[in-house]
mmCIF file of all heavy atoms in Angstrom:
data_model
loop_
_atom_site.group_PDB
_atom_site.id
_atom_site.type_symbol
_atom_site.label_atom_id
_atom_site.label_comp_id
_atom_site.label_asym_id
_atom_site.label_seq_id
_atom_site.Cartn_x
_atom_site.Cartn_y
_atom_site.Cartn_z
ATOM 1 N N ALA F 1316 -8.306 -31.938 -2.989
ATOM 2 C CA ALA F 1316 -7.223 -32.138 -3.950
ATOM 3 C C ALA F 1316 -7.736 -31.815 -5.359
ATOM 4 O O ALA F 1316 -8.850 -32.201 -5.709
ATOM 5 C CB ALA F 1316 -6.730 -33.576 -3.876
ATOM 6 N N LYS F 1365 -11.584 -22.446 -6.895
ATOM 7 C CA LYS F 1365 -12.467 -22.619 -5.743
ATOM 8 C C LYS F 1365 -12.406 -21.412 -4.823
ATOM 9 O O LYS F 1365 -13.417 -20.973 -4.278
ATOM 10 C CB LYS F 1365 -12.012 -23.877 -4.999
ATOM 11 C CG LYS F 1365 -13.023 -24.490 -4.074
ATOM 12 C CD LYS F 1365 -14.208 -25.030 -4.845
ATOM 13 C CE LYS F 1365 -15.179 -25.787 -3.958
ATOM 14 N NZ LYS F 1365 -14.771 -27.173 -3.706
ATOM 15 N N LEU F 1369 -7.523 -12.237 -1.471
ATOM 16 C CA LEU F 1369 -7.080 -10.863 -1.736
ATOM 17 C C LEU F 1369 -6.707 -10.232 -0.399
ATOM 18 O O LEU F 1369 -7.487 -10.290 0.557
ATOM 19 C CB LEU F 1369 -8.204 -10.050 -2.391
ATOM 20 C CG LEU F 1369 -8.804 -10.614 -3.689
ATOM 21 C CD1 LEU F 1369 -9.981 -9.742 -4.128
ATOM 22 C CD2 LEU F 1369 -7.757 -10.690 -4.790
ATOM 23 N N ASN F 1373 -2.237 -4.870 1.184
ATOM 24 C CA ASN F 1373 -1.442 -6.075 1.006
ATOM 25 C C ASN F 1373 -0.246 -6.084 1.954
ATOM 26 O O ASN F 1373 0.440 -5.084 2.112
ATOM 27 C CB ASN F 1373 -0.950 -6.157 -0.442
ATOM 28 C CG ASN F 1373 -0.268 -7.479 -0.739
ATOM 29 O OD1 ASN F 1373 -0.767 -8.534 -0.345
ATOM 30 N ND2 ASN F 1373 0.863 -7.434 -1.405
ATOM 31 N N VAL F 1538 13.977 -5.575 12.239
ATOM 32 C CA VAL F 1538 12.999 -5.375 11.162
ATOM 33 C C VAL F 1538 12.801 -6.727 10.490
ATOM 34 O O VAL F 1538 13.358 -7.738 10.920
ATOM 35 C CB VAL F 1538 13.469 -4.310 10.140
ATOM 36 C CG1 VAL F 1538 13.677 -2.963 10.811
ATOM 37 C CG2 VAL F 1538 14.743 -4.759 9.409
#
Side-chain angles (χ1 to χ4, degrees):
K1365 199 66 174 278
L1369 304 175
N1373 187 44
V1538 300

